[in-house]
Amino acid sequence: MLIYVAHAYGGNAENLEKAKKIIHDLQTKDTENCYISPLSAFSHLGYGEIGYEQEMDLCIDLLSVCDMLLVASEISRGVQAEIDFAKLVKMEIKYI
């Protein structure tokens, strides 16, 4: 299963480090599934570099090929958009 890990960011480096640790811990404990986060996948982009809407479009594109959404932080505006999309397509959503 390809599992999308949603985590608040807001340009905060601490949030990025928290997300990386969560994904690391999940992946090392569960090698039957693949965990992916847009914070890691798009880390080559600077925060706001291409604009919020374009960045969220990329996140939703990535989410659209995943099997499940795992919410791993408080619900920010971006995380809420990911939840809304997952609900729209009837994707399984879990919260940790």
Side-chain angles (χ1 to χ4, degrees), residues 9-81:
Y9 178 45
N12 183 339
E14 186 177 316
N15 283 337
L16 178 58
E17 291 308 311
K18 287 179 185 177
K20 286 167 61 174
K21 180 173 179 1
I22 290 167
I23 296 163
H24 171 271
D25 293 349
L26 289 166
Q27 191 65 78
T28 56
K29 290 177 184 166
D30 177 14
T31 58
E32 296 295 315
N33 294 297
C34 180
Y35 294 86
I36 185 73
S37 168
L39 299 183
S40 298
F42 304 122
S43 62
H44 55 279
L45 295 173
Y47 181 72
E49 181 176 352
I50 61 172
Y52 181 79
E53 294 303 320
Q54 289 77 14
E55 289 170 8
M56 283 309 303
D57 286 346
L58 291 173
C59 292
I60 298 302
D61 283 348
L62 180 59
L63 177 57
S64 73
V65 299
C66 293
D67 303 300
M68 183 175 80
L69 170 63
L70 182 63
V71 179
S73 73
E74 71 277 357
I75 300 176
S76 64
R77 181 175 144 203
V79 172
Q80 185 61 57

